[in-house]
Amino acid sequence: MTTVASRDTLQKFIFDNAAVRGEFIDISATWREVMSHHAYPPAVKTVLGQMVAAAALLSANLKFNGSIIMQIHGDGPVRLLVVECDSELRLRATAKLAPDTVVADDATLPALLNAHGKGRFIITLDPADKVPGQQPYQGIVPLDGDDVATVIENYMLRSEQLDTKLWLATDDTTARGLLLQKLPHHGGKAEAMPLSEDDALETWNRAVLLASTLKQEEMLSTDIDTLMQRLFWEETIRVFEPAHPSFQCSCTREKVGNMLKMLGRQEVDSALEELGNVGVNCDFCGQHYDFDKVDCAQLFASDAPAEVLIPVGDIKH
């Protein structure tokens, strides 16, 4: 729906003659826009903000026109966290809490989302221009880790066979992150860089060790150019043209109509009987959509199947 001008920056870099690539991100303006539509408890904001930064970092390496949808399905006070980011680094995010839940300010990710060990982490890659019959790629794993960074690192190693390290920091106004990734070797080379496997491992370990000196407060209070210089000043690094993430919600009346069709005629008719119309608020941006009896009749008169990948709103009735 609404795109907000942003000073957010994602900076890619690569170690010259080495086997490591990285990305720094400052996605604070987008994060503040996400939060302007919601009033979540502090612990939920921390986890969701880290997911926003992480989704943009992963999306920067997408090699197709489409979106990455990152979800955590929980079995605790938080039932669902969703962040969607497309190949242009346009993001939106939302959370769903259990009814009447009380969340401690210092609640950890396992307490929020994996209280009974049934939490799941899901990444969906959804091409924008699917060929007939093509389905989005979806990876689903148990929620393995005490924080967002560890959950994603374990997913990337298990599902993509990529050594990945993440450092994420979020507060009410700021969201930043650093991603390091060990480049895959082919015949003793990493993306055409002549480096032995031992040398590649040494470079990777050194980069991770340097990045691990980052403290949360340092990440939140220091711009990414300074952080890069402070961490890797002894390394030879090639820096690429920065990208600029932004907030954007892709909700439309058509998508909301599809969601109503997925709910089924009985549920919609019940809302119509009670209120005379169906009102839906987008979970991501708060946009309100109204459907009266004629609108709903037209929805169910169509034979086209409804398809909704992620929730777009709640029916108000």
Side-chain angles (χ1 to χ4, degrees):
M1 294 291 300
T2 303
T3 302
V4 176
S6 170
R7 295 177 181 270
D8 288 345
T9 299
L10 185 144
Q11 181 63 70
K12 289 186 178 184
F13 61 93
I14 193 168
F15 284 59
D16 269 352
N17 301 315
V20 179
R21 66 183 171 199
E23 300 165 11
F24 267 107
I25 192 168
D26 181 346
I27 197 164
S28 301
T30 297
W31 172 233
R32 290 191 294 269
E33 180 65 21
V34 168
M35 283 297 90
S36 72
H37 302 292
H38 306 288
Y40 298 133
V44 177
K45 288 195 289 187
T46 296
V47 176
L48 187 62
Q50 292 172 356
M51 284 181 65
V52 166
L57 289 167
L58 293 183
S59 296
N61 290 315
L62 287 178
K63 293 180 170 60
F64 70 98
N65 177 28
S67 299
I68 180 171
I69 303 164
M70 185 182 295
Q71 301 177 66
I72 298 180
H73 288 256
D75 65 356
V78 179
R79 299 297 171 82
L80 178 67
L81 298 174
V82 181
V83 180
E84 182 180 9
C85 183
D86 68 16
S87 46
E88 300 297 321
L89 297 181
R90 296 172 296 202
L91 294 97
R92 60 180 189 161
T94 191
K96 281 188 173 292
L97 278 63
D100 303 318
T101 190
V102 177
V103 177
D105 288 354
D106 60 351
T108 62
L109 184 147
L112 291 171
L113 291 142
N114 206 27
H116 306 290
K118 296 181 180 179
R120 293 291 182 267
F121 179 68
I122 303 169
I123 285 185
T124 303
L125 301 180
D126 186 25
D129 303 312
K130 291 188 282 289
V131 300
Q134 182 181 4
Q135 298 296 318
Y137 165 81
Q138 191 171 78
I140 304 174
V141 297
L143 195 56
D144 181 14
D146 291 335
D147 53 46
V148 171
T150 305
V151 168
I152 295 173
E153 289 166 4
N154 291 335
Y155 173 88
M156 295 299 291
L157 189 60
R158 179 183 302 179
S159 299
E160 309 297 331
Q161 288 76 54
L162 283 175
D163 284 307
T164 304
K165 293 293 291 182
L166 283 159
W167 294 263
L168 305 167
T170 309
D171 62 17
D172 286 346
T173 61
T174 307
R176 293 193 175 126
L178 167 62
L179 176 147
L180 292 177
Q181 203 161 65
K182 184 181 175 185
L183 298 173
H185 270 64
H186 304 285
K189 296 185 179 182
E191 292 197 356
M193 290 183 290
L195 198 70
S196 72
E197 201 162 328
D198 287 343
D199 288 341
L201 183 60
E202 181 182 350
T203 303
W204 167 250
N205 288 338
R206 184 173 68 252
V208 171
L209 183 63
L210 290 169
S212 295
T213 64
L214 272 177
K215 301 294 189 290
Q216 287 275 309
E217 283 305 314
E218 184 182 14
M219 290 186 71
L220 291 171
S221 62
T222 311
D223 65 87
I224 60 177
D225 289 338
T226 301
L227 287 174
M228 187 180 302
Q229 173 65 20
R230 188 178 293 175
L231 287 178
F232 304 124
W233 65 275
E234 290 187 310
E235 308 295 328
T236 304
I237 289 177
R238 184 155 35 107
V239 178
F240 300 93
E241 190 70 22
H244 300 286
S246 62
F247 176 87
Q248 178 172 291
C249 188
S250 58
C251 71
T252 64
R253 187 173 180 82
E254 180 183 5
K255 290 180 179 179
V256 174
N258 276 339
M259 186 194 74
L260 295 176
K261 290 169 69 175
M262 290 286 287
L263 289 174
R265 183 145 202 167
Q266 184 175 355
E267 176 76 14
V268 173
D269 284 347
S270 175
L272 287 172
E273 183 177 349
E274 184 176 346
L275 292 176
N277 70 344
V278 178
V280 180
N281 290 334
C282 176
D283 282 341
F284 295 92
C285 70
Q287 176 71 35
H288 183 77
Y289 297 90
D290 273 321
F291 290 78
D292 60 21
K293 292 182 179 180
V294 174
D295 296 327
C296 293
Q298 290 175 340
L299 285 177
F300 291 100
S302 170
D303 292 328
E307 179 182 356
V308 175
L309 292 176
I310 53 179
V312 296
D314 292 322
I315 293 182
K316 305 301 179 185
H317 67 87

